[in-house]
Amino acid sequence: MHHDAQHARRTKHGAGVRASRGRAFTLLELLVCVAVIGVLAGLVAGAARHAVHASHRAVCANNLRWLHGAVAAYMQDHRETLPWAVDPYSLAWDRHDPVEAIAPYLDVAAPFIDEEDVVVTGQPWECPASREVAGRHGSSYDYPPHRLMLKHGRTRVTRFHAASPWQPIWMDREFDAHPGAGKMAARFDGAVGRWSELRR
């Protein structure tokens, strides 16, 4: 009887070992798990990148609205004339209108070069998607009217934009500042968004 009890325990123990061995992962199952984890990680990383890009576009759009509002306020005080601009990004020459022209309407300091020759800038001049551009030029944004002013003069350009409200007032300097979205821009009429959509 004692022998039978020992045999039963050994049989039960052996069955438990076999059962535990039967529950172990096979190589194929491990590979499938690794593949699933890799796919999930890729989806999470893609979603994170999308969220970052969307956040950058939101901040950029807010900057452009802010800058457009400052230009509108400037025009009210200057006979509905756009800020004059010869070369709005030559900080080294101390000529960066219209940045200085509209800075008082933003209640923030215009970008400047400090004693160590470092460009000091910030919101709303700096787009989070192109901080390097702001670090070089003081602003991430271009002021398209300045190109026309050099050729046609301030008054004619102002009239042209008033007659063509879809013309841009501010836009990203970099061609593909926002991956997948290109440039962000603010039009004369106040519309803000992707330039590829605004110019249609």
Side-chain angles (χ1 to χ4, degrees), residues 94-128:
D94 197 27
R95 288 294 303 274
H96 49 290
D97 43 16
V99 172
E100 281 195 340
I102 67 171
Y105 298 92
L106 296 167
D107 197 26
V108 295
F112 64 94
I113 298 176
D114 65 13
E115 297 177 353
E116 299 179 355
D117 290 332
V118 175
V119 175
V120 179
T121 186
Q123 301 297 333
W125 319 108
E126 182 182 77
C127 173

Side-chain angles (χ1 to χ4, degrees), residues 66-96:
W66 199 358
L67 293 171
H68 178 274
V71 169
Y74 174 93
M75 292 181 68
Q76 287 182 350
D77 291 344
H78 295 81
R79 299 180 180 180
E80 297 300 319
T81 304
L82 283 166
W84 171 250
V86 176
D87 188 349
Y89 306 107
S90 55
L91 282 172
W93 302 338
D94 197 27
R95 288 294 303 274
H96 49 290

Side-chain angles (χ1 to χ4, degrees), residues 13-195:
H13 176 70
V17 171
R18 286 194 298 273
S20 63
R21 287 177 180 172
R23 289 195 299 271
F25 285 106
T26 65
L27 178 59
L28 179 60
E29 289 172 332
L30 287 174
L31 291 175
V32 170
C33 288
V34 170
V36 170
I37 291 172
V39 170
L40 292 176
L43 292 174
V44 170
R49 284 194 300 272
H50 179 75
V52 169
H53 294 330
S55 175
H56 287 175
R57 289 195 299 272
V59 173
C60 183
N62 186 60
N63 288 346
L64 291 167
R65 291 189 186 95
W66 199 358
L67 293 171
H68 178 274
V71 169
Y74 174 93
M75 292 181 68
Q76 287 182 350
D77 291 344
H78 295 81
R79 299 180 180 180
E80 297 300 319
T81 304
L82 283 166
W84 171 250
V86 176
D87 188 349
Y89 306 107
S90 55
L91 282 172
W93 302 338
D94 197 27
R95 288 294 303 274
H96 49 290
D97 43 16
V99 172
E100 281 195 340
I102 67 171
Y105 298 92
L106 296 167
D107 197 26
V108 295
F112 64 94
I113 298 176
D114 65 13
E115 297 177 353
E116 299 179 355
D117 290 332
V118 175
V119 175
V120 179
T121 186
Q123 301 297 333
W125 319 108
E126 182 182 77
C127 173
S130 53
R131 288 193 171 96
E132 291 183 2
V133 174
R136 292 194 304 269
H137 301 282
S139 175
S140 300
Y141 304 105
D142 189 14
Y143 180 68
H146 88 271
R147 299 189 189 91
L148 297 174
M149 287 181 182
L150 291 174
K151 184 176 181 180
H152 301 291
R154 180 180 182 182
T155 302
R156 288 185 62 187
V157 171
T158 298
R159 290 174 179 170
F160 169 70
H161 277 72
S164 308
W166 57 86
Q167 293 295 324
I169 293 294
W170 296 98
M171 64 167 46
D172 282 307
R173 286 176 61 86
E174 286 191 310
F175 177 75
D176 193 22
H178 300 273
K183 290 185 176 185
M184 297 284 288
R187 298 192 318 196
F188 186 83
D189 61 3
V192 174
R194 302 178 184 183
W195 179 235

